Amino acid sequence: MAKVLVVEDETDVRELLVLHLKREGYQVNAFEDAESALGSLSTHTYDLAILDWMLPQMSGLDLCKTLRIKLSHALPILILTARADTMDKVLGLEIGADDYLTKPFEVREFVARVRALLRRSAKSGEALAPKAEIKSEIKIDSLRLSLASKKIWNDQEELSLTPNEFKLLATLMDQPGVTFERTQLIELIQGPGVAVVDRTIDTTVLGLRKKLGDKAEWVETVRGFGYRFRGQE
Ligand code: CA
């Protein structure tokens, strides 16, 4: 019987995951934070870990990284992310998650992913390689952004962005024309467990536009929703 580790701070989501995993016949250990999950490693061996990205204190991604370092055996890891968080996916792949599920998700989809991960690991018996492609660079017109080195250039000139400005721009540029809601962007920038200050996002956009110079207006305000990077016309 496969043993599954679940780490999700939202009680109803956690209970739902546990319910469906048990229904599938798996043994489940569920925790609401990363620290307790790590604490259980001394007494439990898991076949699969399901981690929510947004956790209080230590995030799901940091937990993922820690599990990779701590465990000698290959543990398939499924990360649950908020909607359209492209940057999370990039980060997750760098850190070594095996698969992603975007919230909100269908139970059927969730169960299918779990089965597939357990099947793959049972078959190979070794570390699973991330299956999605890692995008290392985004280029739009004269702007070139390197996700690996966290640097950005406008023509040949390197721009000096703060980490928040970089994360914001990378997210917007990854899907030009797509409007990101303010709450999504705030989560992305501030991370889990931080008091949400709405103004932070506006300040970040303001700073970003200043540094983008002649490309400033490409970061567009969508009134009442949020921001987007100018789409192709
Ligand atoms: Ca959460």
Side-chain angles (χ1 to χ4, degrees):
M1 195 196 299
K3 261 196 188 172
V4 182
L5 170 70
V6 172
V7 191
E8 163 64 271
D9 59 318
E10 283 164 70
T11 310
D12 38 350
V13 179
R14 187 177 61 246
E15 282 172 357
L16 188 81
L17 297 176
V18 171
L19 176 80
H20 289 284
L21 289 167
K22 283 192 171 161
R23 210 172 261 179
E24 286 294 301
Y26 304 127
Q27 248 182 295
V28 189
N29 254 12
F31 300 93
E32 56 185 61
D33 58 69
E35 291 74 10
S36 338
L38 285 173
S40 76
L41 291 177
S42 52
T43 45
H44 292 84
T45 308
Y46 299 108
D47 301 300
L48 171 71
I50 299 167
L51 316 175
D52 182 34
W53 142 258
M54 296 295 286
L55 292 171
Q57 292 149 35
M58 183 190 266
S59 77
L61 291 187
D62 286 336
L63 177 56
C64 177
K65 197 159 53 171
T66 308
L67 287 173
R68 284 279 176 259
I69 296 165
K70 252 180 126 79
L71 298 175
S72 52
H73 69 284
L75 176 72
I77 298 178
L78 171 68
I79 297 260
L80 307 176
T81 73
R83 187 159 56 98
D85 282 344
T86 323
M87 198 60 192
D88 299 353
K89 288 184 189 171
V90 173
L91 280 171
L93 286 168
E94 282 175 0
I95 282 160
D98 298 292
D99 202 2
Y100 298 87
L101 201 52
T102 309
K103 287 180 181 179
F105 48 80
E106 300 258 334
V107 168
R108 254 185 328 181
E109 177 70 13
F110 167 70
V111 170
R113 299 288 186 97
V114 166
R115 280 190 196 146
L117 279 171
L118 285 169
R119 210 165 39 226
R120 273 165 66 200
S121 75
K123 228 183 250 174
S124 67
E126 333 172 322
L128 302 167
K131 50 179 188 172
E133 283 282 312
I134 301 176
K135 204 185 270 188
S136 61
E137 197 174 280
I138 304 172
K139 202 171 176 306
I140 298 176
D141 199 85
S142 62
L143 289 178
R144 184 162 63 87
L145 185 142
S146 162
L147 292 167
S149 67
K150 314 281 186 240
K151 287 182 176 175
I152 173 153
W153 298 266
N154 186 8
D155 284 322
Q156 298 307 315
E157 189 199 349
E158 188 183 335
L159 308 178
S160 159
L161 302 188
T162 66
N164 281 351
E165 288 165 354
F166 183 87
K167 278 191 246 176
L168 179 72
L169 186 63
T171 303
L172 297 179
M173 275 180 70
D174 192 49
Q175 291 173 276
V178 173
T179 299
F180 287 83
E181 286 176 32
R182 300 164 56 87
T183 47
Q184 283 179 279
L185 295 171
I186 289 166
E187 259 197 12
L188 175 84
I189 284 182
Q190 300 199 324
V194 181
V196 168
V197 184
D198 242 36
R199 287 288 132 204
T200 309
I201 196 77
D202 301 319
T203 316
T204 308
V205 169
L206 212 67
L208 182 59
R209 280 186 179 139
K210 256 183 213 159
K211 291 175 187 173
L212 286 176
D214 62 328
K215 301 292 183 294
E217 62 196 38
W218 289 22
V219 176
E220 299 175 331
T221 303
V222 184
R223 222 171 268 281
F225 289 101
Y227 296 98
R228 71 173 169 224
F229 198 84
R230 174 182 289 189
Q232 314 295 358
E233 278 155 35

